[in-house]
Amino acid sequence: MQIAANNPNRKSWLNVADNCDFPIQNIPFGVFITKDDIITIGTRIGEYAIDLGAFHQLGYFEGIPLTDDMFMQDSLNDFISDGRKTWRLVRNRIAEVFDAENASLRDNLKHREVIIFDVNEVEMLLPISVGDYTDFYSSKEHANNVGMMFRGADNALMPNWLHMPIGYHGRASSVVVSGTKIRRPYGQMLPNGETQPVFGPTKALDMELETAFITTDVNNLGEPISIDEAHDYIFGMVLFNDWSARDIQKWEYVPLGPFLGKSFASSMSPWIITMDALEPFKCDGPKQEVTPLPYLQQKTTENSYDIKLQAAIETENGDLNLLTESNFKYLYWSMAQQLAHHTSNGCNLRAGDLMGSGTISGPTKNSYGSLLELTWGGKEPITLKDGTTRTFLNDGDNVIIRGYCKNDKVRIGFGKCTGKIMPPVKLKK
Ligand code: MN
């Protein structure tokens, strides 16, 4: 089936500013609550949020087999579960109805009133009910940098790293939507030079510049998915900030890996950009230095995406301080390899599962994806516009991640993923 929704020449009758992340070629999916307190699944064109529950009720999806309440839900899980054919039909129809030449909704003011909202008048909610959350560690530059700091240059990259996408199981309950405030977590840590641990608020709160992909129902328990099929099960991608408390992490991570240093919160952007919309931005990933085992070998080298990423700190005086500019294409292991590896033991993945990429660091210092790397373990503080310095995040800092793809015809963006750091809660004891 053609992805007619991607037609780069199409214009919408809704106004879309140049350089907007959400032209009619994007058509992402999200969940929002309207000013009338109605929760619905929706999409976005320009600065407009489109209520797909109302759109469906008023007959604009006629001819597409969809349950009546498909979009009148507080998560995208059921829609995602319907599979790629449905996602394509729905995106194609939305593109058709909002095409500048199509009068059906354009000239129906009554319908427009109940379907179309100013995006600033709706509140974005978490778009999926996250069943399971896995975080990979697939940027070689990041793994190398962290390895050097935690274990020294000789053991930086563990011997398994070039043979498989390393990951760990994260915490689904604390995945929050962009804009949710982040409490500085407490934890146990071993201060430098001490022999006894202490308990208290983290002194090394960090961000991780990541993307994440969301799966549909993939496999039955016990049945791996081959790498050639893997891509068919990926619905779309979001920006992702996998908040990390480095002092807690450093003390707890041996031998079983990340735990409380990570599980206090992870933030995701509210609009899921479909793999279909990202199709024009496919590109080669890094050449893999070691030929992977057959179950991880891909037929094509074009298995990555050119997605420009950046992270900034907004201080309380409103200054925006750009920290880093990276790109999804630097990731060593592809999403297909991550998915094939994840199911290779028969572990079943379901609709609404979330797979973090791992921190995406580029090859140069201004493209590192975490403060841990940017300040080299806190040794090289960053000076912000207001003259203050950071090794890790201060209370009041708002971390803003952005991402977009662009070619000479169209820009497909992710919007932003933000989270402001709040002081730790007061403990009773
Ligand atoms: Mn991470």
Side-chain angles (χ1 to χ4, degrees):
M1 193 199 316
Q2 277 244 320
I3 315 175
N6 285 4
N7 175 2
N9 300 318
R10 193 193 299 274
K11 292 236 174 337
S12 175
W13 46 265
L14 284 173
N15 180 48
V16 180
D18 291 346
N19 254 12
C20 176
D21 277 352
F22 302 97
I24 192 170
Q25 288 79 11
N26 193 335
I27 313 187
F29 293 96
V31 173
F32 58 80
I33 181 163
T34 69
K35 54 187 178 194
D36 308 316
D37 265 351
I38 293 166
I39 294 179
T40 182
I41 286 172
T43 186
R44 173 173 178 173
I45 296 175
E47 297 302 305
Y48 300 97
I50 293 153
D51 178 340
L52 292 179
F55 188 87
H56 185 24
Q57 251 187 339
L58 292 168
Y60 290 97
F61 284 128
E62 202 193 328
I64 301 177
L66 295 165
T67 54
D68 289 347
D69 63 347
M70 177 59 87
F71 298 107
M72 292 151 96
Q73 306 207 21
D74 61 5
S75 89
L76 280 156
N77 292 44
D78 284 355
F79 174 63
I80 293 172
S81 200
D82 248 30
R84 189 156 78 164
K85 189 176 167 208
T86 301
W87 314 333
R88 268 194 193 168
L89 287 168
V90 164
R91 264 184 91 247
N92 286 348
R93 177 64 61 81
I94 295 167
E96 197 183 309
V97 172
F98 285 90
D99 186 302
E101 304 299 318
N102 190 322
S104 58
L105 176 58
R106 185 191 68 199
D107 296 348
N108 189 327
L109 291 183
K110 271 219 164 87
H111 284 186
R112 283 176 64 154
E113 220 164 86
V114 290
I115 291 173
I116 303 169
F117 296 86
D118 181 333
V119 83
N120 299 308
E121 285 180 353
V122 303
E123 184 192 345
M124 297 308 298
L125 305 177
L126 195 67
I128 47 171
S129 168
V130 183
D132 279 296
Y133 155 46
T134 300
D135 196 29
F136 285 95
Y137 192 54
S138 288
S139 155
K140 186 169 168 242
E141 289 81 358
H142 173 69
N144 221 355
N145 289 339
V146 174
M148 275 199 268
M149 282 181 266
F150 278 31
R151 288 181 297 274
D154 292 344
N155 301 307
L157 215 54
M158 299 302 271
N160 55 13
W161 201 93
L162 291 170
H163 296 278
M164 61 184 170
I166 301 295
Y168 70 96
H169 287 109
R171 182 79 197 164
S173 67
S174 54
V175 175
V176 295
V177 71
S178 169
T180 306
K181 296 194 162 80
I182 305 299
R183 278 273 175 209
R184 180 176 297 273
Y186 285 85
Q188 190 179 129
M189 49 225 154
L190 185 69
N192 279 338
E194 301 288 324
T195 56
Q196 292 302 308
V198 297
F199 183 83
T202 175
K203 293 187 173 72
L205 184 52
D206 201 354
M207 52 132 201
E208 288 193 333
L209 174 59
E210 301 196 18
T211 61
F213 69 85
I214 291 119
T215 66
T216 182
D217 295 299
V218 178
N219 55 329
N220 296 319
L221 183 63
E223 298 170 10
I225 285 295
S226 83
I227 184 130
D228 299 328
E229 303 166 275
H231 195 77
D232 297 344
Y233 296 95
I234 303 176
F235 172 63
M237 294 175 71
V238 291
L239 302 172
F240 197 65
N241 186 343
D242 184 36
W243 304 98
S244 300
R246 300 299 180 192
D247 40 8
I248 300 171
Q249 181 186 357
K250 191 174 180 183
W251 174 232
E252 75 178 359
Y253 89 107
V254 178
L256 286 185
F259 187 33
L260 304 181
K262 298 277 191 174
S263 63
F264 58 94
S266 308
S267 303
M268 65 185 274
S269 54
W271 295 107
I272 303 178
I273 313 304
T274 62
M275 297 321 295
D276 276 0
L278 295 169
E279 186 74 21
F281 303 96
K282 273 189 156 170
C283 68
D284 283 6
K287 189 173 158 27
Q288 299 198 309
E289 296 158 39
V290 174
T291 305
L293 291 168
Y295 79 100
L296 291 174
Q297 286 173 16
Q298 301 175 97
K299 289 208 173 91
T300 166
T301 55
E302 204 181 54
N303 48 51
S304 192
Y305 293 84
D306 184 3
I307 307 171
K308 294 167 181 59
L309 299 168
Q310 54 169 250
I313 292 179
E314 184 187 40
T315 43
E316 284 192 299
N317 65 359
D319 284 346
L320 196 64
N321 301 272
L322 183 66
L323 293 176
T324 183
E325 289 184 293
S326 188
N327 195 306
F328 180 82
K329 71 182 177 191
Y330 296 140
L331 268 195
Y332 186 89
W333 294 102
S334 72
M335 291 183 280
Q337 287 176 318
Q338 291 171 337
L339 192 143
H341 184 62
H342 206 313
T343 64
S344 63
N345 66 346
C347 172
N348 51 329
L349 305 183
R350 297 173 296 189
D353 282 1
L354 186 67
M355 307 284 160
S357 58
T359 306
I360 304 174
S361 291
T364 54
K365 187 153 185 184
N366 57 1
S367 60
Y368 292 170
S370 65
L371 284 167
L372 177 72
E373 295 162 89
L374 290 164
T375 70
W376 208 254
K379 289 196 192 84
E380 299 167 24
I382 292 170
T383 303
L384 304 185
K385 286 179 182 166
D386 65 3
T388 62
T389 58
R390 293 290 183 282
T391 49
F392 293 101
L393 297 167
N394 282 3
D395 294 344
D397 288 348
N398 187 25
V399 177
I400 303 174
I401 293 178
R402 289 180 176 277
Y404 67 94
C405 309
K406 195 174 169 152
N407 59 25
D408 51 1
K409 291 199 169 118
V410 67
R411 173 189 170 113
I412 301 290
F414 285 74
K416 56 186 179 178
C417 176
T418 73
K420 187 173 178 178
I421 307 303
M422 305 304 284
V425 288
K426 286 213 167 69
L427 296 184
K428 293 213 177 75
K429 186 171 174 277

